[in-house]
Structure formats: C-alpha cells, structure tokens
Amino acid sequence: MAMTAHSTGRLPESSSSCRQAVMPARHRYRPCSLSMNGCRREGVAVPVGICETRTLPAVSAPESAVSELKSAISALVDADPPPSTSGIIRLQVPIRQRADAIVWLHAQHPLPRCYFSARSHPSLSVPLSLRDGNGRRFLSSEDEDVVSVAGVGSAVFFHGSDPFSLDDWRCIKRFLSKDCPLIRAYGGIRFDPRTNVSPEWKNFGSFYFVVPQVEFDELEESSMLALNIAWDNTLLWTWQKAINGVQATMNQIAPCFCRLRNLFPGTAIIGFNHVPTKASWDISVKKALQIIKRRNSELVKVVLARCSRYATDTSIDPVSLLACLKQVEGQNAYQFFIQPPDAPAFIGNTPEKLFHRKYSNITSEALAGTRARGLTKVEDLQIGQDLLSSPKDNNEFTIVRESIRRKMEITCNEVLVEPSKALRKLPRVQHLSAELSGTLRNEDDEFDILTCLHPSPAVCGLPTEEARQFIEENEMFDRGMYAGPVGWFGGRESEFAVGIRSALVGKGVGTLVYAGAGIVEGTNSSLEWDELDLKASQFTKLFQHEVPRACYQEMNTGSVN
C-alpha cells in the first residue's frame, strides 16, 4: 500500500486583550478534561509528537474504502508502534464517486456522532494534494472542496464544566496541524457557561469537541473515508489501545448505505408546550422595553428566546430530521449535528456564520431583522423592501453590525464591511445582513476572535453583559448550546456558525425546538412571538400533520423542565 505522510510543528503562544473579557479574574477556571476513551488528565497543552496524514490508493465505492481501511489497520497491528509517545495519524481512502455524508451517518450507530455541512463550499477549501498508489494526483484544493463531514466514535474528545478557556483551546490545538488540514475537532460551546445546566444538556458540558475515529467526507465530485488514530502514553492510552479502539469502531461501520426515503411517514404532532407561554413572553418583553427606555439605562437590545417541546406519535430519528431539514431548508445555511455519548442530539440549520478563519484571514457577518418570504416574486420583493426601510429593523441591524466590527478590530487589522446592508434570502425567511472581513495580527489569535465575537448582539443583546444578565434572570429554560458557537477547529482553518434554528432531539427529551427574537425600542411583543413561530416552523412544517389550532390554548401550558 502506498502512503504519504505529513508531520507537524509546535504551537506558538498567543496573547490578546480579549481574554480578560471572557475570563474575568473573579472566576478560576480549570483546563478541560482531555479524554481518550475514559482516560483523563487535565492541563495537557504540549503538541503531540506525531501528526500525520496517510493517503491510501483511491477506490471506486465506499464499500471498498471500508475494506482498505480494515486492511490498513491490520497491518498496523503487526507493525512496530510509532517512535513517539503521543500523536495522531489519519488514514484516508479517496472514493471516486460522490456520496452523501449525512446518508452515511444515518447508516451508522456508534456514538458519539457529529456532522457539519458548510453554507458555502469555498470557505471549506482543502489545500491538500491527494495521490493514488501510482503517484497520480487524484484531487487537490483546486479541484474539489469539502461539502460536508460526518463522524462517529472518538479518537479524542474535549469536555469541560467551566467556561471555554485559552488552555482548553490549546488542549485541542495540540492534536491539529497545518500539514494535516483534515484532522479537525468538531463540536460546540454553551451559550452561557455560568448558568445552571439542566438535565437535557448535562452531557454537553460547557463545551464539547471531538476528533472522530471514523469520518466520511463528502466532496464536490467525490468522497473520502478516513479514520483517526490518537494516542498519548501520559494518559495511559497507548498506541495499542488506540488501534484496538479504532478496530472495534470499524467493525461496527456499515459499508453499504442508500438514499434516505420517507423520512417521517405518518408522523404527527400530538402535543406541545412553549416556555415561556405567550402571557409570560409579553411580561418579559414589557420588562425589557421598560429598561431600554429608561433615560439612564445602558441596555439597548436584548434577545429573548423560547423553547418548545413537541411530542409526536412516532419517535423521530435526529439524523433523518436533519437530512430532511437540509433537503427542504438547507439553501444558504449550515447544518450541524452534535451527539455526545448517552445524550440527545443537538441539530440545526442555521443561516448565521460566527467566523471563518483561513490562515490569518477572518470573515464574519451581521444578521438581524426577519420577514417571511412572499408567495410571489412581487410580494417577496415588497416584503424585502419593507424590511430594508424599517426603522426598527435598521436600528437592530446597525447595533449588531457595528458591535461585530468593533470586536473584530481588537484582533484584526483594517476591517472591511461589504456590503453594509443587504437582504439574505432563505427558503422560509429573509434577513438584513452584512459581510465583515479582516486579517488577524497573529494567526494564533483564533481563540480571541472566537471569544470576542460570542455572544453577538444578534443572539444576546447590547451591551453584552447587561443583556446576558437580563436573559439569565428572566428566561425560564436552559439555552444550553442554543445560540452558542458550533463548528470545528483545524490546523489551517476553522469555521463556526451560530447555533440558532436548532433543536435537541431524542434520548427521552422528545423534540425541543429553540427560537429567539431581538427586543429593541419599538418592538411589538405579539409580532415578535409570531417571528418565533416563523423561525420554529422550519421544524414543525416537516411533520405531515400539525395539532389543530383549536387545541392550541389547551396545550400551550406547562413547562419543559
């Protein structure tokens, strides 16, 4: 078998003025637990000794890729272990045909599971040359981009109960390399790690990231099956244990999979409740507006959210639900799926990018204001123009855009805003949007750009701390990772979306759908409630039947918790 390898270098130190803002002195943080299948140690940040990508000969179908990887693992079992006491090695098999990563994920059952699909392919460009066994180029960054990635099992995962810190970021980055750009850690961060965690979010912690054991990459015209082998003797997870763990997961991998059909045959909503109820929502909005209108108040905007629990007559598979979301609502949006062991799945179809980093280049965006799409082109144009000319929505949007610009200027050189305001049209809704770009003064200020941009005024409010405190005191449910950063870290690039238009599905919680709306001066409480319904409808409209409206008042009571 012909294989190519790339090795890694050391991780530089970094510093920035943002860190004290997200890690105030009154909090004492512990580094994350670095876990390799149960073996844990805190505070490990030295880069691993080996980071390699080995490419096997290309095959024609996914089934052949499974066989190739199993053979490669068997060969490694009989070979001498690597000379380093720690490392991560990726074995990958290019597949000449394109297959859907989410369909592959649906056929797999090992946990944990993860999935991430880019909103636009160029942002996930992979500058990596792949060659077949005879040395011929199979694909390169000029040829194809990664469309979506699905993963199962855990080569190494990162989990903590304290807020995500610089030390936690370094623990993750020690397994990543510019020379191995497809070794990535996928996951998310809690919206507010300082609040109490409810039972449904317990296994997610304040953050959760995983480098999958087995991974399927959907490319533009082809595919790739890969596995990651990670070991660290100081964690008592040796090379041999890592090989055995990957073998066990590979033995559970379904080599064959087919197109998903009839995702929700006969599914109907048989009950639901909202937290808060409409009456409680009105009270919270009124309270927020009273504070905003005070002469000496600093609060300009606060984003309030709703959690809706839906009971259906048949159980819903979260992978099928996400696949259906992608098919129906996926245009110009990210899709994500995060499921730790023994936990429900956090899934979403979000239009909002938090940031994308490629080397030192950073892009972000502002998104605010919501209207439905029109039934005709003329109606749609009229609704869009109404959104563009609305003083209330322009006020909300300007707050978001200028806040993001100021935050990017902390770690970036000149920040460009182009366009300054435009319409972002999605299948069901449209928003005001602006694109922002800049260059990091130091590539390793990635942690700072993440912690500076989250939470944005689009999901929290302004000023951030005043809005966060209002949310903590007035919301009646745990947001968990809703509205938090979801995405991946890589050696050359990283990408995070904002975890809105999302739901928690399965494992005894039913289907919890989350939606939020910005409260600014001029807000109408009932119109914002209707906006919540509109945002949640991307989930509810997927069910074939809905509860009759006459039942609404009777069922819209109770609590999620």
Side-chain angles (χ1 to χ4, degrees), residues 434-457:
E435 297 290 330
L436 298 93
S437 61
T439 303
L440 288 176
R441 297 184 183 95
N442 186 325
E443 271 186 42
D444 297 298
D445 286 340
E446 174 183 70
F447 169 79
D448 302 303
I449 201 70
L450 169 64
T451 52
C452 279
L453 291 178
H454 172 74
S456 79

Side-chain angles (χ1 to χ4, degrees), residues 236-253:
L236 304 180
W237 193 254
T238 63
W239 165 261
Q240 190 58 53
K241 287 183 177 180
I243 287 289
N244 292 342
V246 170
Q247 275 189 311
T249 301
M250 280 298 298
N251 287 336
Q252 301 178 64
I253 296 299

Side-chain angles (χ1 to χ4, degrees), residues 458-475:
V459 296
C460 182
L462 199 73
T464 301
E465 184 55 30
E466 285 77 0
R468 187 206 65 78
Q469 186 172 346
F470 185 91
I471 292 169
E472 181 181 0
E473 293 173 354
N474 290 275
E475 279 192 352

Side-chain angles (χ1 to χ4, degrees), residues 54 150 174 215 243 274 298 304 311 344 468 492 532 536 556:
R54 303 178 183 179
R174 73 186 290 256
E215 178 184 305
I243 287 289
H274 299 310
E298 294 184 358
L304 297 179
R468 187 206 65 78
R492 294 181 180 176
L532 298 179
N556 188 25

Side-chain angles (χ1 to χ4, degrees), residues 68-91:
E68 286 291 323
L69 286 177
K70 286 184 175 181
S71 298
I73 296 172
S74 297
L76 290 174
V77 170
D78 298 329
D80 292 333
S84 176
T85 59
S86 66
I88 184 167
I89 294 176
R90 174 184 166 99
L91 302 180

Side-chain angles (χ1 to χ4, degrees), residues 175-326:
F175 283 89
L176 308 179
S177 167
K178 292 181 180 179
D179 296 318
C180 303
L182 293 183
I183 297 178
R184 299 169 176 171
Y186 298 88
I189 300 173
R190 186 173 170 82
F191 172 77
D192 187 352
R194 290 172 284 187
T195 56
N196 293 329
V197 179
S198 60
E200 66 268 21
W201 289 104
K202 179 181 178 182
N203 291 325
F204 290 83
S206 64
F207 61 91
Y208 174 85
F209 289 92
V210 62
V211 178
Q213 278 182 316
V214 184
E215 178 184 305
F216 191 92
D217 299 342
E218 178 185 349
L219 308 177
E220 289 185 313
E221 296 181 0
S222 63
S223 310
M224 187 184 303
L225 187 68
L227 57 83
N228 296 301
I229 308 166
W231 73 99
D232 190 332
N233 291 353
T234 63
L235 292 169
L236 304 180
W237 193 254
T238 63
W239 165 261
Q240 190 58 53
K241 287 183 177 180
I243 287 289
N244 292 342
V246 170
Q247 275 189 311
T249 301
M250 280 298 298
N251 287 336
Q252 301 178 64
I253 296 299
C256 301
F257 54 97
C258 56
R259 186 177 299 275
L260 293 172
R261 299 180 185 275
N262 300 325
L263 296 179
F264 300 109
T267 298
I269 299 175
I270 59 175
F272 68 90
N273 57 60
H274 299 310
V275 177
T277 63
K278 177 61 166 62
S280 297
W281 170 264
D282 290 340
I283 293 172
S284 294
V285 171
K286 182 179 180 180
K287 183 177 179 180
L289 290 174
Q290 287 174 341
I291 297 175
I292 290 171
K293 292 177 181 178
R294 287 177 188 167
R295 181 173 299 178
N296 60 346
S297 174
E298 294 184 358
L299 189 65
V300 176
K301 174 185 178 181
V302 63
V303 179
L304 297 179
R306 185 181 78 185
C307 175
S308 303
R309 183 191 293 272
Y310 293 91
T312 55
D313 60 352
T314 59
S315 61
I316 293 178
D317 174 63
V319 181
S320 297
L321 178 57
L322 183 61
C324 197
L325 270 176
K326 183 177 181 180

Side-chain angles (χ1 to χ4, degrees), residues 110-147:
L111 293 178
R113 297 187 290 183
C114 63
Y115 176 85
F116 189 85
S117 182
R119 191 180 69 192
S120 57
H121 301 170
S123 65
L124 281 173
S125 179
V126 182
L128 174 67
S129 178
L130 301 177
R131 300 178 183 274
D132 64 18
N134 297 316
R136 294 188 297 268
R137 192 175 76 173
F138 179 71
L139 59 88
S140 72
S141 59
E142 292 78 21
D143 299 322
E144 294 192 277
D145 294 320
V146 174
V147 175

